[in-house]
Each structure stands twice: as C-alpha cells, then as structure tokens.
Amino acid sequence: MKQNSSVTEFMLLGLTQDPLKQKMVFVIFLIFYMGTVVGNTLIIVTIKFSRTLGSPMYFFLFYLSFADSCFSTSTAPRLIVDAISKKSIISYNECITQVFALHLFGCMEIFVLILMAVDRYVAICKPLRYPVIMSRQVCVILIVLAWIGSFIHSTAQIVLALRLPFCGPNLIDHYCCDLQPLLKLACMDTYMINLLLVSNSGAICSSSFVLLMISYFVILHSLRNHSAEGRKKALSTCTSHIIVVILFFGPCIFIYARPPTTFPMDKMVAVFYTIGTPFLNPLIYTLRNAEVKNAMKKLWHVKIMTE
C-alpha cells in the first residue's frame, strides 16, 4: 500500500484504559466472539448439509451468517488481544486492511439483508411466480452482485483512507481502525472526505434501512389476504428479519450518517453493530425459526447415529 504519511503505526486506545475494566472487556468479548463464531458456523453447517433448508431464504441466510462471522472477526480478535496487551499497536498497513475488511463484510451484510427482504416479498406477495423469480440461478447472480458491490464500496473507503496524510499524533481513540477516527488524526482539512464518507457509507446505511422498512411494511400489509396459519408463519419470519435490521442499521446510521462530530458513546455504539449484532443474529434466526431448529436436531441425530 502506498503510504501518504510519515506515521508507520498507530496506537489503539481501546474501550478503556482501566486495568480491571480491560480484564472484563477481555472476558466479555471473548465469550461474545466465541458465541458468534460457534453460532454462525452452526447455521452455515446446518444449511449446507440439511436437505430441508434448500429454499432461497436459507441460501441467503447462509451468506448472512458467513458475513457475520467475517465482520466480527475483522474487529473482535484485536479488541480481545489488545485488552490484555500493554501496548495496542497496529501498523499502517494492518490498519488500512482492517478498514477494508470492516466495510467489505459490513456492506455484504447490508446487501444480504436486502436480498432476504426481496425473497420474503416475492414469497408472500407473488407466491405463484416465486419459483421462477427466485430460482437458484437468480439467487447466485444476486449474491455475486452483492459481493461485487461490497468490494467496490470497501475499495472506495480505502481510496479515501490512502489520501489521508498523518504527520503527528498516532493515538486512535477507538478499538479498531475506521475512517472516522482516522480523520481526526489527518494533517489536512477533512471536510470533503467526510462529506464523501457520509454520501457513501451513510447513504448506503440510510437508504437501505428505509428501503427495508418500506418492503416489510408492504409485506405485512399484504398478509391480510392470507390464511391465519400463513399469516402466523410469515409474521414470525418477517419479525425476525425486522429485529435484525433495526439492531444493525440503528447503530450503523448513528455512526456514518452524520456530520464530522464525535461523541463519548461512539465506541460502544460501534461495538454493538460490529460485535453485538453478529452474536445476536444466530440466536434470533434459530430461536424464532422452527425449520432451522428441526434441521439442527436432525443433523445432530444423524451424526450421533453414524458414530
């Protein structure tokens, strides 16, 4: 990476500088991260090997769980290790790589949530055309486009980050590298870059949230014409999706869709959508989804029987 800076490394201040609180951070987020990896891996394995979870909804859930695992991995391991390290130092290249990974998998999660909403809309509002509209080939194309879009978005973030010159302070008041904390250290007027950031990340978060809310409103409104059993099943699925959308997009919009100001709560809000939401997603999708729970039980039963 071409470095537009005299600074070769940064020091992350993390969530706290208190030794006792750092130990608590280590324990709490180690549990969260392990739960995230185990929960999402369980969903991935279940969908991959279960014959009953072959619908487009679970195809997209597979990629949501994958994105969740990678999204959390882009920040959580460093936060955990730094909590028990004397100095939390990250090199310039590692910092830029973290920015890329954070936005790649975060944006992928946004696109997959949109695809899941599209799938539910077609399934509930266009049931007769559902097999044709949401065919396997179409789903694969949509996922490929989501990866391409995520890559373009994260590349744009890197282009902005590489334009920032750092010539003095290297203390990042955060637990990970992202453009907002880096903008505070840059030796230049960052107004235009922040404007580009808001028009990129902020616009993606805000417009996606509005689009998702409108789509689920249309879906829920159309449930009037369905049977009681159909309404109950569709409502259960959509409720899970709406909870995930609110938990993810609320903090995301708070961080990215605002003027260049910082608040004391920023780090905790960022923790919620980078570590908290990936941890909660598997719980939401398994506890509220009978098909996933039954598929998991069958898989483990078959595994025990074969052993």
Side-chain angles (χ1 to χ4, degrees):
M1 296 179 185
K2 184 179 179 181
Q3 185 173 338
N4 184 26
S5 169
S6 60
V7 175
T8 59
E9 62 185 22
F10 298 99
M11 183 175 293
L12 297 169
L13 295 182
L15 292 177
T16 178
Q17 293 295 299
D18 184 273
L20 179 59
K21 291 181 179 179
Q22 284 181 330
K23 292 178 182 177
M24 293 174 61
V25 167
F26 173 79
V27 173
I28 292 172
F29 288 102
L30 179 61
I31 294 172
F32 267 65
Y33 180 61
M34 290 177 64
T36 299
V37 173
V38 171
N40 283 294
T41 300
L42 189 57
I43 290 179
I44 290 171
V45 172
T46 301
I47 295 174
K48 180 70 175 178
F49 294 101
S50 176
R51 296 179 180 177
T52 60
L53 302 179
S55 67
M57 182 176 73
Y58 298 112
F59 176 79
F60 294 134
L61 180 57
F62 175 94
Y63 284 97
L64 179 66
S65 295
F66 177 76
D68 269 337
S69 296
C70 296
F71 187 48
S72 182
T73 300
S74 66
T75 57
R78 176 164 286 278
L79 170 62
I80 293 166
V81 172
D82 287 350
I84 55 173
S85 301
K86 292 184 178 179
K87 287 188 177 181
S88 307
I89 296 175
I90 183 171
S91 70
Y92 180 88
N93 286 346
E94 287 175 333
C95 185
I96 297 300
T97 302
Q98 188 175 55
V99 172
F100 180 84
L102 184 68
H103 284 269
L104 174 67
F105 297 113
C107 191
M108 183 61 185
E109 183 163 351
I110 290 174
F111 288 151
V112 173
L113 287 172
I114 292 174
L115 293 179
M116 293 176 78
V118 171
D119 172 71
R120 289 301 84 202
Y121 171 79
V122 177
I124 295 170
C125 301
K126 311 283 184 180
L128 297 179
R129 299 182 60 192
Y130 180 74
V132 177
I133 297 175
M134 300 303 295
S135 66
R136 188 73 173 185
Q137 184 179 5
V138 170
C139 291
V140 171
I141 292 173
L142 290 174
I143 283 294
V144 171
L145 291 175
W147 278 116
I148 293 173
S150 301
F151 182 80
I152 293 172
H153 165 73
S154 53
T155 301
Q157 304 303 300
I158 295 300
V159 171
L160 293 177
L162 291 176
R163 293 186 61 188
L164 297 175
F166 303 101
C167 52
N170 67 340
L171 294 178
I172 297 178
D173 188 15
H174 214 291
Y175 62 88
C176 68
C177 282
D178 202 357
L179 274 178
Q180 288 89 342
L182 287 176
L183 285 173
K184 294 177 65 177
L185 302 180
C187 305
M188 64 175 289
D189 182 4
T190 59
Y191 176 79
M192 285 305 300
I193 292 183
N194 188 82
L195 193 63
L196 291 172
L197 175 63
V198 172
S199 63
N200 187 343
S201 298
I204 289 176
C205 290
S206 302
S207 60
S208 298
F209 178 72
V210 172
L211 179 65
L212 286 166
M213 287 296 99
I214 292 174
S215 66
Y216 281 117
F217 175 79
V218 173
I219 291 170
L220 294 175
H221 186 263
S222 69
L223 290 178
R224 297 177 307 162
N225 303 322
H226 289 68
S227 63
E229 184 179 351
R231 283 199 302 269
K232 183 179 179 181
K233 184 177 180 181
L235 188 61
S236 177
T237 302
C238 289
T239 301
S240 299
H241 293 191
I242 291 171
I243 292 172
V244 170
V245 167
I246 293 174
L247 290 176
F248 181 82
F249 283 94
C252 185
I253 291 172
F254 177 81
I255 294 293
Y256 293 107
R258 73 180 197 211
T261 54
T262 56
F263 300 102
M265 67 181 75
D266 282 358
K267 288 189 283 187
M268 290 309 301
V269 172
V271 162
F272 196 81
Y273 80 88
T274 58
I275 299 175
T277 305
F279 171 77
L280 293 173
N281 281 358
L283 298 176
I284 292 170
Y285 281 111
T286 54
L287 292 178
R288 296 186 59 86
N289 194 307
E291 287 184 82
V292 174
K293 287 190 287 187
N294 291 334
M296 285 182 178
K297 290 177 183 177
K298 288 180 182 178
L299 271 182
W300 285 110
H301 178 71
V302 170
K303 185 176 179 180
I304 293 171
M305 292 295 290
T306 54
E307 291 177 353

